[in-house]
Amino acid sequence: VLGGVSPGSPAAKAGLKAGDQVVRAGRSESTLKPVATHSNLKHAMGPIDAGQTFVLEVIRGSQTIQLPMSLVKE
């Protein structure tokens, strides 16, 4: 669960919000892998380079949403 998202950050620009629970991640909707720990998230994003796109699936309130985003080098 995201404790906070810095205003103007790449995460904020991608649509992530404080309280979002990341549940799956991957290069595309068809390759999403479960995320239960920070380590799972790092593993799912490991093969993704800066500038490439990926998808995070999050639970926000009672909705599950998919957010396409681009990895930035920061």
Side-chain angles (χ1 to χ4, degrees):
V1 176
L2 300 178
V5 177
S6 298
S9 70
K13 290 176 185 175
L16 287 169
K17 297 182 178 185
D20 284 350
Q21 178 184 356
V22 179
V23 291
R24 296 194 309 159
R27 285 187 180 263
S28 66
E29 187 176 333
S30 63
T31 63
L32 293 175
K33 296 180 182 179
V35 172
T37 65
H38 184 260
S39 181
N40 293 148
L41 180 59
K42 286 175 63 174
H43 181 70
M45 295 180 64
I48 302 170
D49 294 323
Q52 292 182 319
T53 58
F54 65 100
V55 176
L56 284 184
E57 184 174 273
V58 301
I59 295 174
R60 180 179 293 158
S62 61
Q63 294 183 317
T64 300
I65 59 174
Q66 293 181 350
L67 298 170
M69 49 190 66
S70 182
L71 189 64
V72 297
K73 187 175 184 177
E74 268 194 23

